[in-house]
């Protein structure tokens, strides 16, 4: 798949006046565009102050010239360009109808993120990477009409960086979700990963997925014990991704006996400060 990253560096923003309002014009002028299947949009300049709304709006306004794009990633930047919790996103309400042949959408950053009424017949993968996912976005995912979706990965994050829900918020989303073709479920990067593990394992979606991703959070032996108890009831689950966690060596070994492909790399140790135990999700700021 031919892919291209579009990004403005410091000089382009400061000296040439490039920004979110010029990005799509530059993409349209690129002779490579007709041959691309994937577009990755990195920093649009001052991403911690200026949102990407002009990019979304101009893609929608020029939808015919983007109709061949199968994968779209908006916010593909590292922390040196902009911390994930600082990335100002936009409103995607108009994008769903504008790109009916889009297969994969990845969004990085959740500040000012609005999904709107999500309805897309052909989308197969939705990923939202952030330091804290607002309840409004989680609710929009729960109500989404995505009959073709095979892969859902949500970074839940920290309440310090935007997550304003709890385990019941995720429970409600999973109970509402009508995703008949879902194969990969990722509820990741949470500071309440044990609680969310319990919620996910009680979801009806467990009976249909082949990959369960509970990685990048504060999963401890408590969550590991739940997985040991519940996963054998779901022979359809072939892959269990738990990388970046706080489980013990003993629990890792016991999970290794499950009949699944298991990732328990990136084991972490809790920090102790004045008698309090601290654990952090992998990606917050």
């Amino acid at each position: 798949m031919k892919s291209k990253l579009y990004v403005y560096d410091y000089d382009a923003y400061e000296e040439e006046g490039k920004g979110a309002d010029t990005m799509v014009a530059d993409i349209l002028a690129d002779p490579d565009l007709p041959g691309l299947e994937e577009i990755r949009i990195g920093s649009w300049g001052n991403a911690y102050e200026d949102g990407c709304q002009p990019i979304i709006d101009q893609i929608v306004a020029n939808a015919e010239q983007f109709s061949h794009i199968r994968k779209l990633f908006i916010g593909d930047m590292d922390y040196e360009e902009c911390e994930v919790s600082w990335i100002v996103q936009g409103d995607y309400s108009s994008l769903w109808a504008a790109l009916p042949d889009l297969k994969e959408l990845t969004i990085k950053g959740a500040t000012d993120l609005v999904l709107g009424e999500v309805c897309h017949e052909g989308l197969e993968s939705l990923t939202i990477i952030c330091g804290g996912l607002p309840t409004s976005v989680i609710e929009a995912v729960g109500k989404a009409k995505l009959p073709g979706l095979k892969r859902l990965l949500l970074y839940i994050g920290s309440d310090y960086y935007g997550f304003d829900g709890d385990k019941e918020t995720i429970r409600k989303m999973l109970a509402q979700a009508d995703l008949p073709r879902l194969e990969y479920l990722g509820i990741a990067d949470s500071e309440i990963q044990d609680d969310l593990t319990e919620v996910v394992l009680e979801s009806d979606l467990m009976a249909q997925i082949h990959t369960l991703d509970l990685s990048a959070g504060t999963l401890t032996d408590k969550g590991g014990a739940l997985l040991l108890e519940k996963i054998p009831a779901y022979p359809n689950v072939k892959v269990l991704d738990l990388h970046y966690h706080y489980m013990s060596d003993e629990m890792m070994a016991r999970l290794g006996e499950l009949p699944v492909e298991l990732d328990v790399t990136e084991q972490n140790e809790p920090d102790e400060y004045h008698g309090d135990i601290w654990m952090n999700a992998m990606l917050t700021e």
Side-chain angles (χ1 to χ4, degrees), residues 165-177:
D166 54 26
K167 70 176 185 179
E168 296 306 321
T169 309
I170 305 303
R171 190 193 305 277
K172 182 178 179 181
M173 179 199 74
L174 295 174
Q176 284 185 318

Side-chain angles (χ1 to χ4, degrees), residues 25-45:
D26 285 346
I27 295 173
L28 290 171
D30 183 359
D32 290 341
L33 177 61
L36 298 178
E37 293 180 85
E38 178 180 31
I39 288 176
R40 294 161 17 246
I41 296 176
S43 177
W44 44 87

Side-chain angles (χ1 to χ4, degrees), residues 7-19:
V7 58
Y8 290 147
D9 61 18
Y10 180 81
D11 288 341
Y13 175 72
E14 287 290 331
E15 299 176 13
E16 301 174 32
K18 298 292 187 179

